[in-house]
Amino acid sequence: MKTHELTNPIPAGEAALENEEWSAALTSLVANSGRARAQEILDLLTRIARDPAIGWQPQHGTPYVNTVPVQQQPVFPGDLAIEERLASIMRWNALAMVARANAAYGELGGHIASYASAADLFEVGFNHFFRAATPDFGGDVVFYQPHSAPGVYARAFLEGRLSETDLSHYRQEITAKRNGMRGLSSYPHPWLMPDFWQFPTGSMGIGPISSIYQARFMRYLNHRGLLDTAERRVWGVFGDGEMDEPESMSALTLAAREGLDNLVWVVNCNLQRLDGPVRGNGRIIDELEALFSGAGWNVIKLVWGSDWDGLFARDREGALINAFAQTVDGQFQTFAAKDGRYNRDHFFGQNPELAALAQGLTDDQIDRLKRGGHDLVKIHAAYTAAVQCKHKPSVVLAQTKKGFGMGEAGQGKMTTHQQKKLDRDALIAFRNRFNLPLSDAQTESLSFYRPEENSAEMRYLQARRSALGGHVPSRRSAAASVAVPAMQGYAGFALQAEGKEMSTTMAFVRMLGGLLRDEALGKRVVPIVADEARTFGMANLFKQIGIYSSKGQCYEPEDIGSILSYREALDGQILEEGISEAGAVSSWVAAATSYSAHGLAMLPFYIYYSMFGFQRIGDLIWAAADQRARGFLLGATAGRTTLGGEGLQHQDGHSHLMAATIPNCRAYDPAFAGELAVILDHGMRAMLERQEDVFYYVTLMNENYAQPSLPAGVAADLIKGLYRYAGTSAAKSEGQVRLLGSGAILLEVIAASELLAQDWNIDAEIWSATSFTELAREAREVERWNRLHPGEAPRQSHVARCLPQGAPVIAATDYLRALPQLIASYIEPPYTALGTDGFGRSDTRSALRSFFEVDRHHVVLAALSALARQGCVDATLCEQAIARYSIRAGAPAPWDS
């Protein structure tokens, strides 16, 4: 294709005339045929212009003005004056709450400026958009900006849901409880306020990614026919600085790809993070616009308030838009921190055109020119545009001032995020700025303010929430229980394995298949993988239950003739998240909290490489614990030596230690399929029948070995974490030891017991340690009870009963020594822990176990060494064992290699 410009250049004057003609034509088209027709023509021209021979690419971004023009704003449906008064009252109570706490206890912290900037964004949501759950409607889901929590508490105080005493115990949860009162958590924490907060958002980035997968999970429930969520919506109010977190941005394309028009984000662009500007030398709103629009979102810029409409209308030369294009956020922050006189001189004084626009405005009027995120009418218009958008998620980029209304004490200041206190003059100025009905004495004493119950403000507040279904945030704590099938039906093959060879991973997949076929439970099961289903032997489920896809399957898969063919379906049950552990666990969290968010108990099983769990996405798992998730995390290919060839970044030796840090995580490392069956049964009954707020982390191995039948009567001890598996007796006993093993290393322990009997005449008890963390947790509770009740008969822990004083104990696992050492202080006999400290590496299982000194020969040596220290055997036996088993005594320690 040839272009006119390249083949026949025209004079500048003619070009200018031609430009005017094109501009006039477009203007006429809009005037006579409307916006939709103009967009069609522009789309047509765009397709032509993008021909490689022309090579045109559109500029990123749009002018620094509101996306919704004033002519298209809907009529504001509320009482603007009352809503502004209510927002001012909540700003004051939020400020007073934080300042009072820090006046009493300077160490408590808290944040004033974030809510000061976001108050109007929240209030429009609370008054017009955030719908509560009712018997007939599931309600909207809202993820709240964590630093704005004081404002949410302030609203709940006006609604009568929180008392003045509650507000007086902000960030004093322990003190309040000791005095029979209720304390308020620093940020949204369902664990601490289980009837109030739904989702934890205090760790930056967790809220954004969680909201996307929550919106997608709601579609999943709807498409599978489990729950009608078609009219429900997910809202997320986040900060512009938070958008720097990888989790905030990592799933944007998924939201667009899935067409999640049930998702609306509101990004509070106050242009400032903790230390200074978010983008001092650029404009974060422009950057986010390009990012979100490129990802496929509907972007709504909310930049300027209604006070600017008249200025724009008079600005025939485009002076304002030109000035905005040349102003970076660092300068906008300075304008926010300064008064009207400064803004007149330094913004409107840039050129005669701008100065002319400011004529007739007083300095006070210039100072009060609102940014879009502080204008209720503009916010309502932006939210309305967002909820009306179809087939794509929406984001409202709302420009605000951090510390809005705090004046010289904090508005737009570099230090405003850390502002906890205000002096008398600043408090009086704040009161005056928002016309609060407080005396000087009430203001100075930081008195909370609540209008009379029959006041216009209170009647309006309650009426708006009543129209939207009730109060939010509010959290449900239970759903109807789900019957759990008997183990024999889905796991009989594991309980009576009789030596059949399989890995525990394969055993799990087979049990999962059985659970999926159960009439009551099967439809509630949510299998989740991060692109590793074939690795874990789950390909047979593709055809059986399908992979969820909001578009179904629009292609003929390459393997369509195979019994394991890849099948996507609108009602598919598997969530296949691609190579995104953060995405997969976010889906798991959405399913694991469905009982609370949706009143429908689900049972998610997320199976993954164990190394890529707690280590990579530990923050998301911690958030899951906070929101009382119920489900199973399956750490497959687990342990440092069972995944032979993969090497350092794939071999997990520490996930169980990380799991041990989470109070409501029940972590198990079963060696045998029968043990796994008991753990799954116990977990399902705890979570689905007893509705306990716990979740389970279970490690699975990819090593095939003979699976024994589960010994009778051991289930209860197995769940406690330790049971006696077997024992070996020497022909002529010269000593006794107790050997503990977990996971695949239990086989090495069993083999070591045989060597001890055959080669050294040592008897051995063999104990399967299914959970060192559960043993330590129960022993810790017993120890504490005994310490606090000295006058009563002491209790004994399970591990102490199993391992009384006497024979030494040797424990070996595929994890760091610190894992078996969790129980060391709770037992009396001499204790030796073997583990896989150090970096993983590639080799065979036998070579790895020898290298990390957890194989049968090192277990034997550890046993002989313990007996020698007790004086039960001669120390020369240890030297003989080193020689007999070719143990490299001079090799460097594995953790130094």
Side-chain angles (χ1 to χ4, degrees):
M1 177 184 292
K2 295 182 179 180
T3 66
H4 179 73
E5 181 183 3
L6 292 176
T7 60
N8 187 23
I10 61 176
E14 292 183 27
L17 180 60
E18 194 173 74
N19 290 346
E20 290 181 12
E21 291 174 349
W22 278 97
S23 298
L26 180 60
T27 302
S28 174
L29 180 65
V30 173
N32 292 287
S33 300
R35 295 173 65 229
R37 179 59 180 157
Q39 290 171 359
E40 289 179 5
I41 295 299
L42 289 171
D43 288 341
L44 172 63
L45 294 175
T46 297
R47 288 195 293 272
I48 297 171
R50 282 181 168 173
D51 185 288
I54 298 176
W56 175 83
Q57 292 292 328
Q59 291 183 343
H60 292 294
T62 57
Y64 204 68
V65 296
N66 295 344
T67 300
V68 181
V70 64
Q71 301 87 345
Q72 295 175 20
Q73 289 177 192
V75 175
F76 187 74
D79 188 315
L80 190 59
I82 288 181
E83 290 194 27
E84 287 182 337
R85 288 200 297 274
L86 284 169
S88 297
I89 293 169
M90 288 166 202
R91 274 194 177 93
W92 168 258
N93 286 334
L95 180 153
M97 185 190 324
V98 175
R100 283 175 65 159
N102 282 278
Y105 307 96
E107 68 198 74
L108 289 179
H111 301 277
I112 298 172
S114 292
Y115 179 71
S117 69
D120 299 301
L121 299 174
F122 277 111
E123 281 307 296
V124 172
F126 280 122
N127 285 323
H128 302 284
F129 292 93
F130 300 164
R131 298 168 296 177
T134 67
D136 301 319
F137 179 69
D140 291 336
V141 169
V142 185
F143 290 78
Y144 296 90
Q145 185 182 21
H147 292 124
S148 293
V152 181
Y153 294 142
R155 167 169 266 273
F157 169 60
L158 289 197
E159 293 171 339
R161 304 171 62 205
L162 296 177
S163 68
E164 185 169 330
T165 302
D166 295 330
L167 266 59
S168 298
H169 286 87
Y170 171 64
R171 293 196 172 198
Q172 300 160 66
E173 297 162 272
I174 298 171
T175 302
K177 192 170 184 179
R178 284 176 176 170
N179 294 324
M181 302 171 187
R182 176 180 187 172
L184 303 181
S185 61
S186 55
Y187 305 121
H189 292 302
W191 187 264
L192 302 172
M193 297 179 68
D195 62 340
F196 193 87
W197 295 116
Q198 277 188 308
F199 307 104
T201 56
S203 184
M204 298 290 97
I206 299 301
I209 192 173
S210 298
S211 70
I212 291 174
Y213 281 90
Q214 181 64 245
R216 204 277 294 267
F217 186 72
M218 287 165 63
R219 288 287 170 82
Y220 171 89
L221 292 175
N222 196 65
H223 288 155
R224 289 193 55 217
L226 296 172
L227 196 67
D228 182 3
T229 62
E231 299 302 319
R232 295 173 62 195
R233 194 168 288 117
V234 176
W235 292 83
V237 184
F238 310 117
D240 49 357
E242 185 174 6
M243 294 300 105
D244 283 346
E245 289 285 1
E247 292 88 351
S248 297
M249 298 287 103
S250 64
L252 295 187
T253 54
L254 176 134
R257 186 170 67 247
E258 296 283 319
L260 298 180
D261 54 14
N262 61 339
L263 175 66
V264 178
W265 280 12
V266 179
V267 181
N268 175 21
C269 297
N270 58 34
L271 313 184
Q272 189 175 340
R273 55 187 178 216
L274 278 65
D275 292 333
V278 177
R279 295 291 184 273
N281 296 312
R283 284 189 297 276
I284 187 61
I285 289 179
D286 288 349
E287 180 181 323
L288 293 177
E289 178 188 21
L291 188 64
F292 279 92
S293 61
W297 287 52
N298 173 43
V299 179
I300 302 168
K301 290 164 73 171
L302 173 58
V303 189
W304 307 112
S306 299
D307 297 337
W308 289 84
D309 288 341
L311 298 177
F312 281 114
R314 300 202 311 270
D315 183 16
R316 302 298 184 185
E317 304 300 323
L320 282 172
I321 291 177
N322 291 335
F324 295 150
Q326 302 302 317
T327 306
V328 296
D329 282 356
Q331 190 62 48
F332 277 127
Q333 182 189 348
T334 300
F335 290 145
K338 302 297 184 179
D339 59 14
R341 167 53 61 180
Y342 181 93
N343 279 270
R344 179 188 297 278
D345 294 341
H346 291 83
F347 179 75
F348 289 104
Q350 294 180 73
N351 55 57
E353 291 80 9
L354 288 174
L357 290 174
Q359 288 180 358
L361 294 177
T362 67
D363 289 348
D364 185 59
Q365 287 174 319
I366 291 174
D367 188 49
R368 288 176 176 262
L369 286 172
K370 287 181 178 178
R371 296 184 179 180
H374 299 306
D375 188 308
L376 302 183
V377 173
K378 297 291 187 184
I379 297 168
H380 180 270
Y383 287 8
T384 300
V387 300
Q388 290 176 347
C389 177
K390 299 300 181 184
H391 310 304
K392 59 171 63 177
S394 293
V395 59
V396 176
L397 303 177
Q399 182 175 222
T400 64
K401 294 179 181 180
K402 192 156 190 176
F404 179 63
M406 293 170 65
E408 293 185 1
Q411 181 172 286
K413 302 287 187 182
M414 291 292 187
T415 57
T416 189
H417 187 79
Q418 307 302 332
Q419 194 83 31
K420 320 293 182 193
K421 304 175 183 177
L422 286 85
D423 61 23
R424 181 184 185 279
D425 290 343
L427 291 171
I428 296 295
F430 189 95
R431 178 202 65 185
N432 295 341
R433 170 68 179 79
F434 293 106
N435 299 315
L436 293 162
L438 297 169
S439 67
D440 287 357
Q442 289 173 319
T443 303
E444 191 172 359
S445 65
L446 295 167
S447 298
F448 295 124
Y449 176 68
R450 193 169 188 268
E452 295 294 329
E453 283 297 328
N454 64 349
S455 67
E457 290 85 357
M458 295 297 281
R459 292 199 308 272
Y460 185 89
L461 178 86
Q462 300 292 6
R464 290 310 310 147
R465 286 315 312 163
S466 177
L468 292 169
H471 296 130
V472 293
S474 180
R475 180 182 178 277
R476 290 174 285 196
S477 59
S481 62
V482 181
V484 175
M487 267 192 294
Q488 193 63 39
Y490 65 88
F493 73 95
L495 299 171
Q496 292 88 36
E498 299 178 348
K500 295 184 181 71
E501 280 205 2
M502 70 184 84
S503 68
T504 51
T505 299
M506 289 300 97
F508 162 72
V509 173
R510 188 170 170 183
M511 292 178 207
L512 179 63
L515 292 172
L516 286 165
R517 289 188 293 272
D518 183 76
E519 185 174 346
L521 179 62
K523 61 185 178 182
R524 306 292 187 97
V525 173
V526 185
I528 304 171
V529 291
D531 205 42
E532 291 285 3
R534 297 185 192 276
T535 301
F536 306 134
M538 297 173 63
N540 64 308
L541 297 180
F542 291 165
K543 207 161 190 176
Q544 178 183 335
I545 57 174
I547 299 164
Y548 171 71
S549 168
S550 60
K551 295 179 173 62
Q553 192 159 36
C554 306
Y555 61 93
E556 182 179 282
E558 171 275 328
D559 59 353
I560 192 169
S562 168
I563 61 172
L564 303 179
S565 63
Y566 199 78
R567 185 174 75 89
E568 298 185 71
L570 185 65
D571 61 351
Q573 197 160 349
I574 301 170
L575 289 174
E576 222 285 12
E577 303 298 6
I579 304 176
S580 173
E581 287 82 6
V585 80
S586 295
S587 274
W588 179 84
V589 172
T593 56
S594 177
Y595 74 94
S596 172
H598 310 301
L600 181 72
M602 301 295 285
L603 183 64
F605 291 90
Y606 170 35
I607 183 170
Y608 56 91
Y609 266 67
S610 66
M611 186 67 158
F612 305 142
F614 288 87
Q615 174 172 299
R616 175 169 288 191
I617 48 172
D619 201 7
L620 282 158
I621 298 175
W622 184 260
D626 188 347
Q627 61 194 295
R628 300 169 178 259
R630 301 172 185 172
F632 287 95
L633 296 172
L634 290 308
T637 58
R640 188 143 285 166
T641 70
T642 57
L643 188 61
E646 290 289 86
L648 186 149
Q649 286 192 287
H650 285 68
Q651 291 168 344
D652 162 37
H654 45 277
S655 65
H656 271 285
L657 277 175
M658 301 172 85
T661 66
I662 301 177
N664 55 337
C665 176
R666 303 291 178 253
Y668 289 89
D669 184 32
F672 301 128
E675 296 176 349
L676 173 62
V678 171
I679 294 165
L680 292 183
D681 177 77
H682 179 267
M684 288 188 291
R685 296 189 187 283
M687 295 182 291
L688 296 176
E689 293 185 344
R690 299 192 296 276
Q691 301 198 40
E692 297 175 11
D693 291 334
V694 294
F695 66 96
Y696 284 69
Y697 175 57
V698 185
T699 40
L700 306 173
M701 274 62 70
N702 66 329
E703 182 177 357
N704 289 313
Y705 45 78
Q707 298 285 341
S709 296
L710 189 72
V714 302
D717 286 353
L718 188 161
I719 292 301
K720 292 176 182 177
L722 186 67
Y723 73 93
R724 191 180 187 281
Y725 172 75
T728 55
S729 300
K732 183 181 178 182
S733 176
E734 296 184 9
Q736 183 185 32
V737 294
R738 300 189 188 102
L739 305 180
L740 276 59
S742 70
I745 302 303
L746 178 57
L747 273 72
E748 295 296 323
V749 166
I750 294 170
S753 72
E754 296 169 354
L755 291 178
L756 283 167
Q758 296 168 11
D759 297 346
W760 310 100
N761 292 319
I762 302 297
D763 294 341
E765 292 180 0
I766 305 166
W767 293 78
S768 179
T770 52
S771 179
F772 285 103
T773 55
E774 286 300 292
L775 289 173
R777 181 175 283 130
E778 191 255 357
R780 187 166 58 237
E781 291 172 357
V782 168
E783 180 187 65
R784 177 181 180 273
W785 193 92
N786 289 340
R787 184 172 65 251
L788 296 176
H789 300 83
E792 299 189 41
R795 297 176 178 176
Q796 189 177 34
S797 67
H798 177 68
V799 70
R801 281 194 300 273
C802 292
L803 306 174
Q805 180 63 274
V809 177
I810 314 299
T813 79
D814 219 3
Y815 297 86
L816 304 184
R817 283 168 173 75
L819 178 64
Q821 284 170 345
L822 288 173
I823 66 171
S825 65
Y826 303 117
I827 60 174
E828 295 183 4
Y831 186 68
T832 303
L834 303 180
T836 54
D837 299 64
F839 285 122
R841 58 208 63 209
S842 301
D843 214 308
T844 63
R845 293 189 181 107
S846 61
L848 288 167
R849 288 167 184 166
S850 174
F851 173 82
F852 283 108
E853 301 172 359
V854 293
D855 66 352
R856 61 198 66 186
H857 299 142
H858 281 89
V859 174
V860 168
L861 178 59
L864 294 175
S865 296
L867 289 168
R869 288 192 298 273
Q870 280 190 324
C872 298
V873 301
D874 193 279
T876 58
L877 291 184
C878 299
E879 296 176 356
Q880 294 174 31
I882 290 172
R884 182 167 190 161
Y885 302 132
S886 300
I887 294 174
R888 297 174 63 239
W895 51 86
D896 288 333
S897 299

